[in-house]
Amino acid sequence: MATILFLSCSPRGADAISSRFGREVVDRLQQRERDAAVIHRDLSATPPSPASRAFVAAVVDRVDEEAAFAESEQLIKELEQADIVVLATPMHNFSVPALLKAWVDQIVRIRRTFASTPSGKEGLLRDRPVYVVISSGGWFTGPSPSGALPQPDFLRPYLRTIFKTIGILQVHFLASEGTTRGDDVLALALAQARRALDALMP
Ligand SMILES: Cc1cc2nc3c(=O)[nH]c(=O)nc-3n(C[C@H](O)[C@H](O)[C@H](O)COP(=O)(O)O)c2cc1C
């Protein structure tokens, strides 16, 4: 039986545009994998801890690792268990929201999810598909409909690099852009994201 990890991280919780479209992606996956189990981790409901002094000491000096890594271990095990990941995130200041950054700092861990080798970092997790659903007030994949230049995008390259670091290469992005520009623009954005989803999962 396949396991889907649904990670959502908007401070708006289940009402968020990203969370709602992420749920659609999960539903689509469940239609394909009829008996798939879904683990929903809502980072707004249970925020991951920011890297603490004890966590840093465990990473750097290997002090009291078991206690310091308890939360990290739980989040990594959840990810390891998943055959497919759906990550729903808003764009915050051209990048990921703080809640998602905290999760990243918990799961990207030397000697556990990546190894440091003479030729660089090597991912230690098995590859699996990750569907990243992004919701943004403006446009970043290309110019806005009125022709304004796209915003800087640190979100997609960042998440691609993070997942590659731990061994996950199959990362797909589905963006809903222009979400703060009125209901009509939002409806168009969601229609476009659904078409992209149809193309990914015909
Ligand atoms: C703190 C903060 C920062 C934001 N930064 C950006 C940004 O850099 N670019 C952008 O297009 N929208 C930005 N937005 C708008 C959100 O991306 C947009 O409202 C999005 O649809 C929210 O998604 P959600 O409903 O899933 O939370 C920002 C919103 C907040 C609250």
Side-chain angles (χ1 to χ4, degrees), residues 10-12 16-19 90-94 135-139 151 179-180:
S10 169
R12 284 149 40 113
I17 295 166
S18 55
S19 307
M91 173 179 270
H92 279 181
N93 297 314
F94 316 118
S135 167
S136 62
W139 285 265
Q151 306 175 71
T179 61
T180 54

Side-chain angles (χ1 to χ4, degrees), residues 7-56:
L7 273 165
S8 53
C9 64
S10 169
R12 284 149 40 113
D15 297 332
I17 295 166
S18 55
S19 307
R20 282 188 278 143
F21 192 66
R23 178 53 74 182
E24 285 187 35
V25 176
V26 170
D27 290 346
R28 178 74 66 98
L29 286 165
Q30 280 193 294
Q31 282 162 18
R32 290 157 64 106
E33 316 256 350
R34 286 254 167 230
D35 52 355
V38 179
I39 301 170
H40 184 192
R41 177 156 292 269
D42 177 356
L43 302 181
S44 73
T46 48
S49 308
S52 62
R53 177 181 272 249
F55 183 90
V56 174

